[in-house]
Amino acid sequence: MFVTPSQASPRRPIRVAIVGTGAIARVSHLPALRALAAEQPLEIVAAVDVDAASAKAFCADAGTGRPYTDLGLMLAEERPDLVTLGTPPRFHRDQTVAALRAGAWVWCEKPPCPSLEDFDAIEAAEGTGPGGPYAAIVFQHRFGSGSDHVRALLAEQAMGRPLVAHCQTTWYRDQAYYSVPWRGRWSTEGGGPAMGHGIHQMDLLLDLLGPWSEIRAMAGRLVHDVETEDVSTALVRFENGTMATIVNSVVSPDEVSRIRIDCERATVELTHLYGHRNADWRITPAPGVPAGQVAEWRNFGVDVPSSHEAQLRGLLRDLRSGRRPRSSGADGRTSLELVAALYKAAFTGNTVRAGEIGPGDPYYSALHGNAPGWAPERTEASA
């Protein structure tokens, strides 16, 4: 019988399998797992990749685990408690469902999967009883002392109501980046910078401000010869009344990731690139705010950088306790829904409202929505 998360003892090692042994697994997943293994019972039992040599080399470098090329065989033989996915988005649905059905929790890299339909199929495969298993998305920018502190200030309205926000992911990717065959294609990358790059900052914005209510957007191919967009802009209204702008780009030489939220009594701003620390956050008070109050706002505490390690530490606590982790289920779906709505708003020219995209909507099953000029040619022909 498979070991379920609800049976995980604090003293029994959590058995982890890594699926996909490329750069993200080597640079982010493995270091996070090593760091956490030094502070709690945890062991890497397997690595899976279609490239047998890559899986074998990964296990050799990690100094642990058995290499596999067959996910199903690995799940049957190793019975892991947790599977981390670092594979391309088009494989996420089937691989996540297989792991969940085998009793394992899943920690899946972004983009979550190519469509809301895929995400809902994953959620339907989660456990229905206490302890899951559950599938969470890697949204590491939500985690860390800076985002925790600002989230608490906003929830308490310590700086007053949030009024205006800006979310910016302006990065640069040259033509060599898109020479890799699977990039810039709906079926393999899942989308353009709104999906593959800006989703991190958009997820953090949603985590800080809460649910959105409506969106208007534009998208364009300004530089690159790709199926997807290389630039998008959007106007978003949140349920709490905050009005926000979102910009996602891969044509911007001066690269930056930024979130700014103007509240009644202060502006809070985060400026970084691929991860943030306490020093990357800045709080500017409105005139007349007492200095002592400002000092409290600016006290971020011990610096815990946003990272895979920070998110995974919390997920492992949840696994041992049998709790649903953050960025899973409805909480994990919200960012993908915003991306789907952004594309629908951009490609149709219409305002899209939260909850509007469901079964029967073309943007539910494909983020390009079969829109003329945006859908892959084969999709247009079949349609």
Side-chain angles (χ1 to χ4, degrees):
M1 141 176 159
F2 289 112
V3 176
T4 63
S6 59
Q7 296 170 310
S9 162
R11 293 179 296 276
R12 183 182 68 78
I14 291 178
R15 296 168 58 80
V16 183
I18 297 174
V19 179
T21 57
I24 196 67
R26 293 175 178 274
V27 174
S28 298
H29 291 204
L30 181 57
L33 289 165
R34 279 175 166 162
L36 294 168
E39 63 185 49
Q40 61 183 279
L42 182 154
E43 60 179 330
I44 298 173
V45 297
V48 184
D49 201 287
V50 292
D51 183 338
S54 179
K56 184 176 181 180
F58 184 91
C59 290
D61 293 342
T64 184
R66 293 177 59 190
Y68 287 84
T69 57
D70 186 299
L71 174 62
L73 180 62
M74 184 280 292
L75 292 170
E77 291 187 350
E78 302 295 342
R79 301 182 178 183
D81 302 304
L82 174 66
V83 170
T84 74
L85 289 184
T87 52
R90 63 181 174 139
F91 300 118
H92 288 174
R93 171 178 172 169
D94 290 346
Q95 291 173 339
T96 300
V97 169
L100 289 170
R101 288 176 176 169
W105 283 35
V106 178
W107 194 42
C108 177
E109 271 296 335
K110 64 84 191 168
C113 47
S115 71
L116 289 168
E117 181 179 41
D118 289 332
F119 193 96
D120 290 347
I122 289 171
E123 195 171 351
E126 291 183 328
T128 56
Y134 301 114
I137 309 303
V138 178
F139 282 136
Q140 75 272 20
H141 289 201
R142 291 189 188 192
F143 298 83
S145 51
S147 53
D148 287 346
H149 179 64
V150 171
R151 186 184 308 106
L153 290 177
L154 292 169
E156 297 164 2
Q157 294 196 2
M159 300 177 291
R161 292 182 299 119
L163 304 172
V164 180
H166 175 68
C167 179
Q168 175 184 352
T169 305
T170 43
W171 294 355
Y172 185 80
R173 298 293 183 265
D174 59 18
Q175 196 55 46
Y177 175 86
Y178 285 105
S179 66
V180 177
W182 59 268
R183 287 183 175 146
R185 297 181 181 276
W186 295 105
S187 64
T188 49
E189 197 168 21
M195 178 67 155
H197 304 84
I199 194 171
H200 272 307
Q201 295 312 298
M202 290 189 287
D203 179 76
L204 178 55
L205 185 72
L206 290 167
D207 194 52
L208 295 175
L209 289 179
W212 61 280
S213 58
E214 61 178 314
I215 183 171
R216 304 172 187 178
M218 294 187 296
R221 300 185 189 100
L222 303 187
V223 174
H224 299 292
D225 182 16
V226 291
E227 286 181 351
T228 65
E229 86 288 3
D230 58 13
V231 174
S232 68
T233 62
L235 302 175
V236 181
R237 191 189 308 274
F238 283 79
E239 285 187 3
N240 63 14
T242 305
M243 298 176 65
T245 61
I246 296 176
V247 179
N248 300 306
S249 164
V250 287
V251 302
S252 304
D254 183 10
E255 295 187 293
V256 68
S257 304
R258 180 178 290 122
I259 285 179
R260 171 180 169 136
I261 301 173
D262 296 318
C263 300
E264 292 174 304
R265 303 179 66 207
T267 293
V268 58
E269 186 170 12
L270 167 65
T271 304
H272 67 117
L273 188 55
Y274 297 136
H276 53 81
R277 309 180 69 97
N278 287 353
D280 297 318
W281 295 82
R282 183 178 66 179
I283 295 179
T284 304
V289 177
Q293 181 69 79
V294 177
E296 289 182 15
W297 294 344
R298 290 175 173 169
N299 181 11
F300 282 75
V302 176
D303 190 8
V304 178
S306 67
S307 65
H308 282 69
E309 180 183 334
Q311 180 176 2
L312 186 56
R313 180 177 286 106
L315 187 146
L316 292 175
R317 285 196 299 265
D318 293 333
L319 192 157
R320 290 192 183 280
S321 300
R323 296 186 299 259
R324 175 177 286 282
R326 290 173 62 193
S327 78
S328 71
D331 184 43
R333 189 183 192 273
T334 182
S335 298
L336 182 60
E337 183 189 7
L338 181 62
V339 172
L342 186 154
Y343 284 131
K344 181 176 181 179
F347 299 163
T348 65
N350 298 325
T351 298
V352 177
R353 290 171 173 77
E356 174 181 316
I357 302 175
D361 189 304
Y363 290 87
Y364 179 71
S365 55
L367 294 185
H368 53 68
N370 291 330
W374 287 103
E377 292 183 4
R378 60 183 178 278
T379 304
E380 289 180 352
S382 64

